Amino acid sequence: MDIQSTETPALIGLDWGTSSLRAYLFDVSGRVLDSRHSACGIMHLPKPRESGGFDDVFESICGDWLNASAVPVIAAGMVGSAQGWAEAPYIAAPANSAPLIGALKTVVSSRGTLVHIVPGIIERGAFPNVMRGEETQIFGALTAHPALGAGGKTLIGLPGTHAKWAFVVDGYLERFLTFMTGEVFAVLRDYTILGRTMHPCAGRDDDAFLRGIDMAVHAGATGMLSTIFSTRTLGLTGELRPEQQSDYLSGLLIGHELAGLSSHLASQGSTLDDWKLGLIGAENLCERYRTALHRIGAPDAGILHGTTECGLFHIAREAGLLPAIARSIPE
Amino acid sequence: MDIQSTETPALIGLDWGTSSLRAYLFDVSGRVLDSRHSACGIMHLPKPRESGGFDDVFESICGDWLNASAVPVIAAGMVGSAQGWAEAPYIAAPANSAPLIGALKTVVSSRGTLVHIVPGIIERGAFPNVMRGEETQIFGALTAHPALGAGGKTLIGLPGTHAKWAFVVDGYLERFLTFMTGEVFAVLRDYTILGRTMHPCAGRDDDAFLRGIDMAVHAGATGMLSTIFSTRTLGLTGELRPEQQSDYLSGLLIGHELAGLSSHLASQGSTLDDWKLGLIGAENLCERYRTALHRIGAPDAGILHGTTECGLFHIAREAGLLPAIARSIPE
């Protein structure tokens, strides 16, 4: 009799984005047995994609796992984009996880393994929006925290290079916004005059960060193109020390993002108070957003952990990729 | 008897900014006899400033002019900043040209020439603003176009790397705003994901440019961090061709700048309709702003030429740097 142990590998899940790859080895209960990280994001493959760049990275990260046990593989993120391993379609919002599961894109690796790629989500209209990877985190969060998904309105923020805010109503991802906050912060710091007077800061300078948020909220009507210049001028007038300027700019941009989110909600006749708030992302970045949300008087936002793993496992299970453990247990 | 010919050099004027230097040789009537351009802006000196970097550039550009005739020298722009040849003070707005003239900063070149540097202007407050060089253009514009300065309210836009909008009332520069539109456009195009799908466009794609302006005005409440992402998504959905994306982004940023300017005016109980509008800058960039202003229903803006030369000459004359030609003419 072959009862599967919960120590036995049952699934490989890949979170394969632009700048990195994270791989998880799950048992049949969804527990993570092992995980690995690689800097070989889809824009950083060691070989071109035409020369087997994806296959090589996949083999180097997952080869020994697959040698030991030929488990199914699921992947999410930019790996499914036009520049990825195979292009997975976009599913139109509003959507729950069902249409994603019904539209998994498969690609066969050089060793013959079927890799199932999760589709992205698109919101069409005059101002289209797209996501790839975040949908898996969002449905993972709803699975891991059923209270978020069951009834009511949840607003999930995913800070980062291209921050997303997803409006989830009764388990459906209704619509979402993208803010290029992380990427804009990096290029302003690294390539414009604003970075020239900045000195690194060991920790986070809360005074400067909060001051940036306040500036965005109170003087923000002239817009970000104008307010960011204050990073320089407050330095020139001695009101902002060089080691404060980075956190000031960070607060300014996050403040503009949250002000934009609030304006969007207002245009829909809503406010942040109408939503349960959740945050998904790097801990210190989520903490910045919690601080900023608190500063503007928004409800407390919970930081949601393990959502990527949970989302990959959930979608694989719902898609029938896992062995049916329950049915193999003898009565 | 020594009557000065209007062919005789009487003044050298330098417009010495961050990225370039333009030098003018004037006769006593303000006519430009000769002009020269150098890429040796204050951030691009061939030698460090401590090793005579400014002197070397000054000699190479103006040395033969000064050998021929030891005329006075006036300079404006970032040459008067903390990173410049000598730091000129900031004059606090509101100001007309008188306090600038009273606070010229002098530096002696290696050949013993006195170089007079025009101060910048600062607007203090919670959101300080500074300019260096634009004040000379603005007072030059008011001198060249007396109708702009005499009575009434004039709003002068100076598009560029750091665009300025100066509110001039009865000949006084009352206050001003800075928008980092040009620099932000360049780093978004050159260093972010938005540039990856852009193809160069031979001329200006007006449809794309106007669409960007409309997007900024109508969907702009969520802010620029959000709307810029549409440059990519409209490409993904096939609604914006690669060669249109640069002009779309240009329209989007200029649209956000003008929307911010309008919001600022609204917060002061004013609108663009209350002001005579003038533009100073590169011709094709000023044309973009005229088009954008027209698109948002603003009054027509005149493009003002020769303002730098006029401003340098005006300030030098008012400061008494020129020979008193009138008094040297015999009765």
Side-chain angles (χ1 to χ4, degrees), chain A residues 127-128 180 183 192-193 225 233, chain B residues 128 180 183 192-193 225-226 233:
Chain A
F127 184 172
M180 288 181 61
E183 190 168 17
T192 75
I193 196 171
L225 289 168
T233 56
Chain B
M180 289 181 61
E183 191 168 17
T192 75
I193 195 170
L225 288 168
S226 173
T233 56

Side-chain angles (χ1 to χ4, degrees), chain A residues 222-289:
Chain A
T222 53
M224 200 202 88
L225 289 168
S226 173
T227 59
I228 54 174
F229 195 59
S230 63
T231 312
R232 176 170 173 78
T233 56
L234 288 170
L236 283 173
T237 56
E239 292 168 83
L240 208 56
R241 297 191 307 278
E243 63 274 19
Q244 294 184 298
Q245 293 174 18
S246 170
D247 282 320
Y248 175 78
L249 182 61
S250 166
L252 198 49
L253 296 197
I254 292 173
H256 275 294
E257 177 182 330
L258 296 183
L261 178 65
S262 298
S263 290
H264 173 83
L265 284 168
S267 75
Q268 314 267 322
S270 180
T271 76
L272 284 169
D273 289 330
D274 300 334
W275 300 78
K276 281 179 280 186
L277 300 183
L279 291 167
I280 297 173
E283 190 76 14
N284 61 353
L285 191 54
C286 286
E287 282 298 344
R288 280 183 187 255
Y289 276 71

Side-chain angles (χ1 to χ4, degrees), chain A residues 1-26:
Chain A
M1 203 166 57
D2 180 29
I3 298 178
Q4 248 179 320
S5 150
T6 55
E7 288 297 318
T8 309
L11 176 74
I12 290 172
L14 306 176
D15 171 23
W16 205 337
T18 300
S19 53
S20 68
L21 160 65
R22 196 170 282 277
Y24 302 94
L25 185 66
F26 297 97

Side-chain angles (χ1 to χ4, degrees), chain A residues 71-146:
Chain A
V71 295
V73 179
I74 190 162
M78 291 296 282
V79 66
S81 71
Q83 294 79 39
W85 199 350
E87 190 169 0
Y90 284 114
I91 300 297
N96 61 9
S97 59
L100 299 179
I101 289 159
L104 292 177
K105 170 81 180 177
T106 53
V107 60
V108 183
S109 84
S110 58
R111 71 157 63 210
T113 299
L114 214 57
V115 177
H116 301 79
I117 303 179
V118 180
I121 294 189
I122 189 165
E123 185 184 341
R124 300 193 186 276
F127 184 172
N129 255 306
V130 291
M131 60 167 63
R132 279 199 189 276
E134 294 92 347
E135 73 297 325
T136 301
Q137 296 178 287
I138 291 164
F139 292 118
L142 300 182
T143 305
H145 306 272

